Amino acid sequence: MHESPKNGNRETARLLQKIGQAFGIPGPFFSCEEIKMGNVNRTYKVNYVVDDGEGTAHLKSYLAQRINTYAFRTPEQLMSNIEKVTGTLKRKAPGEVYLDFRHTAGGKNYIADETGFWRLCNFIPSVTFNTCSDPRVVRNAGKAFGHFQTMLSDFDASSLFCTIPDFHDTRVRYETLVRNLKDDPLGRAGEAEKEIDYLMSVRDLACRLTDLFRQGKLPLRVTHNDTKINNVLFEEGTFRPLTVIDLDTVMPGLAGHDFGDAIRFAANTVEEDCPDGDRATLDLNVFWAFTEGFLSETACSLTKNEVDSLAVSGFCLACELAVRFLNDYILGDKYFKISFPEHNLVRARCQIALSKDMLKKMDAMDALVQRYARKYADRKNTDEN
Ligand code: GN1
Ligand code: MG
């Protein structure tokens, strides 16, 4: 969709123009287009005409996003987290590419009005991948998320608000599902009987990360918590990682949350909402490449228990997300954007098939994790947990 005052959705264009004005963007508005990115927020690329001072006009783009306030109940706090995190990244590595959120005349990095909760940042020319089996790219994605965690290793986690309570608490996610199944407000539970039975049968293993944390065996770190490979921007041509985006869920979390979420997305042989989701399996080559990239950045600071939790973390996160998709299906698709009525059920099935294949490949995954943890642990200086 390409929206400009001339062609297309005038109302959206007018709205985005107003948002741009409030953020003090210079130059005349030219056009806008929705970017199909993410399952929660709405994202638009907005283009402005800029005079280069020598008589030539060119386009300058920004990203405007409307935050889904059903998912994020305290968006002001979320924007406060983002300000702190991007500020730290910028201070620590001023030469790197980073997200730069604009402020209004009143000094806020958001606008909240009757049209929604908006923010606006720089548009970074780059390429992204929804699926990718090229080991160079996948290794770089692993490096990018590992680097992000390392950069924030001394960040004061207590200064961050919790943007979604119990986000990766798999036990709580399961408890919510059990409650919702009892209510079954739309009578949809019957459709998902097989899926529910499977998820219940693997509940303890799916909750392994959560349980290890509750038993005090895994340390809290500042983590990204939404590590889909399409949240890494790569430089065109070289595929060098430029930066990690989508910082809405940066909160205290576990190393396995970031590792596992990335694996269940990147190493899936089919897309997350493949209608034929039973075909989903784990690509061990992708797993291998991501693992090497991630551990090359983090092995020196991970504890032994954390390393040992990585192989199972993909399984935990796949099951957790299946539970979340099912929850949303049962409640009437209020959280994740859907394109057809059974979209969330289809997504859940796909995560379930993937998790089954992960069970078969658990030993191979762990062997790769241990190999690269050893290879990159030279600079290890933390206590063994
Ligand atoms: C959501 O919107 P997006 O695609 O960045 C979700 C993730 C899920 C993902 C599944 C805040 O992320 O947790 O893993 O969908 N983000 C939130 O595609 O719930
Ligand atoms: Mg996200």
Side-chain angles (χ1 to χ4, degrees), residues 40 226 231 246 248-249:
V40 175
D226 190 1
N231 279 333
D246 191 0
D248 298 335
T249 49

Side-chain angles (χ1 to χ4, degrees), residues 38-41 72 164 167 225-226 228 231 246 249 261 264 272 321 324-325 335-336:
N39 286 330
V40 175
N41 298 323
F72 296 104
I164 302 184
F167 189 60
N225 294 309
D226 190 1
K228 290 158 66 158
N231 279 333
D246 191 0
T249 49
D261 196 35
R264 66 119 207 115
E272 199 177 70
L321 191 59
R324 293 176 62 199
F325 285 144
Y335 188 101
F336 296 105

